[in-house]
Amino acid sequence: MAEVSFDYTNLIEVEGGITEKELSEITPRLQAAAGKLLEDEPGFMKLPETREYADACLRTAGEIRSSSPTDFIHIGIGGSALGPIALHRALNHPYYNQMPERRGPRIHFAENTDPATLAAILDVAEPEGTWVNVVTKSGSTAETMAGFLVVRGMLASTLGDFGYQHRTIATTDPEEGFLKRIADREDLRTLPIPKDVGGRFSVLSPVGLLPAAVTGLDTDALLRGAAECVREVRERGAEHPAVVGAAMHYLMDTARGRNIRVMMTYADALERVAAWFVQLWAESLGKDGKGSTPHGAVGTTDQHSQLQLYMQGPQDKVIEIVQVEEHPRDLEIPPAYEDLEGVGYLGGHTMAELLNVECDATRRALTEAGRPNATIRLDRISEENLGYLFVALEVQTAIAGSLYGVNAFDQPGVEASKRFTYSRMGRPGY
Ligand code: PA5
């Protein structure tokens, strides 16, 4: 069972917090939003119970893993990259690629257009043992297709056309788009991004499942946790904590002018989960002059960077702490310098204890300073808990879309810059 909980006490009890009256006034709208979501469930809610994609990914991952691969290059951007990166960073060893006993090939994310990064990947990947997964739902994102052409060139020149085709997976729309046409023409392996699942909601589709399976993560447990969240949302509707959270954050923004939502993860492993969430919230809700600005932070690091601003800066933020009860590893702090009171007290404690005490201390300090904060608690960082968390935050974002009155599933604001790029780069028709 997933162990993930949401605590909004300090959004209500803190001075200037959300009142019972506001909550009861918004309840009918929240119920309507939840009803609408459940009546016509968006594609992302169906993914956890769809075996078909997980099975296809496990089969493909099995083929890759049994070929003695050295490297796996995942090319994609935005929703086609952030989920898989979040999973990898959360669940694999922080130095996975350097570990001699890792569970799969080295993994590289060619996410940005920066040639320095892609060139660096090509410096270390061994062409003879490299697989490439090109991930784009539209099949024509310039950044992704350019990266693909570069890596394809490297593979084809080393392995020949047949070798390149054998080692390439196209994860894309099952029916249309230029990547699908290339895959058909060159007989590439394909994995589908379901038509009714948008990029930033696709982490539990083959977009996230294949790289997770290639690196040996437990995709069944990931989907189990996600399915548990879907079931709970169906059962509890507007009373599910993730749904309630949509109302809390919406009210904090629209009724309190707190239009910055900081997700502060007290675990390095979850830093990219916050980055995934930042995209989800920003691209889904930032429309028609509405939406709050999401921001990622890491505890304890950012206590020494941003906490001053959170404590005494403008009253425009909600801090959402993500706390992990049991960390995957711990280290005892050996007793030493017991005669020096500023150091000696640390001996006999553990690093995880210090991290969690600092997390509690930050929450308390924020609360006492009248700074609204919420907490998401995970008993540990596991596939099951992450599956649950991804769906909970996706549901929350979709519901927030209804409250704001915007379509959470489109992104018209990014089209203009794409058109200028196409025109400058000479794409016909632009
Ligand atoms: O969430 C989204 O829809 C976007 O962030 C897309 O994922 C991103 O623009 C990449 O699109 P595509 O997968 O079509 O290459």
Side-chain angles (χ1 to χ4, degrees), residues 129-291:
T130 292
W131 285 74
V132 57
N133 180 27
V134 52
V135 187
T136 163
K137 177 152 189 214
S138 62
S140 56
T141 298
E143 297 90 330
T144 302
M145 294 313 282
F148 169 57
L149 293 177
V150 171
V151 176
R152 175 188 190 276
M154 181 273 278
L155 284 185
S157 70
T158 313
L159 305 172
D161 283 349
F162 177 74
Y164 137 74
Q165 285 163 9
H166 179 67
R167 296 278 190 72
T168 300
I169 300 130
T171 304
T172 191
D173 185 285
E175 285 163 13
E176 55 190 8
F178 288 104
L179 181 58
K180 172 69 176 142
R181 277 164 65 177
I182 292 170
D184 290 345
R185 192 190 285 181
E186 298 188 338
D187 202 18
L188 306 180
R189 283 181 184 75
T190 57
L191 286 169
I193 306 178
K195 284 204 167 295
D196 58 354
V197 176
R200 56 193 174 275
F201 292 87
S202 69
V203 58
L204 300 173
S205 79
V207 172
L209 294 178
L210 180 69
V214 165
T215 57
L217 298 180
D218 185 347
T219 51
D220 286 347
L222 184 70
L223 293 177
R224 203 164 50 240
E228 192 181 328
C229 185
V230 170
R231 273 197 307 276
E232 283 182 10
V233 171
R234 285 181 189 144
E235 277 162 27
R236 300 186 61 187
E239 284 173 16
H240 190 279
V243 177
V244 174
M248 293 285 183
H249 288 285
Y250 170 76
L251 284 172
M252 274 290 163
D253 175 20
T254 57
R256 293 289 181 284
R258 293 181 175 277
N259 58 9
I260 300 172
R261 175 177 180 175
V262 177
M263 181 174 276
M264 188 166 188
T265 60
Y266 272 80
D268 287 339
L270 298 180
E271 187 174 1
R272 294 301 302 236
V273 171
W276 166 85
F277 174 72
V278 163
Q279 186 224 5
L280 179 70
W281 191 258
E283 207 168 60
S284 301
L285 304 178
K287 286 156 202 171
D288 303 338
K290 300 175 187 168

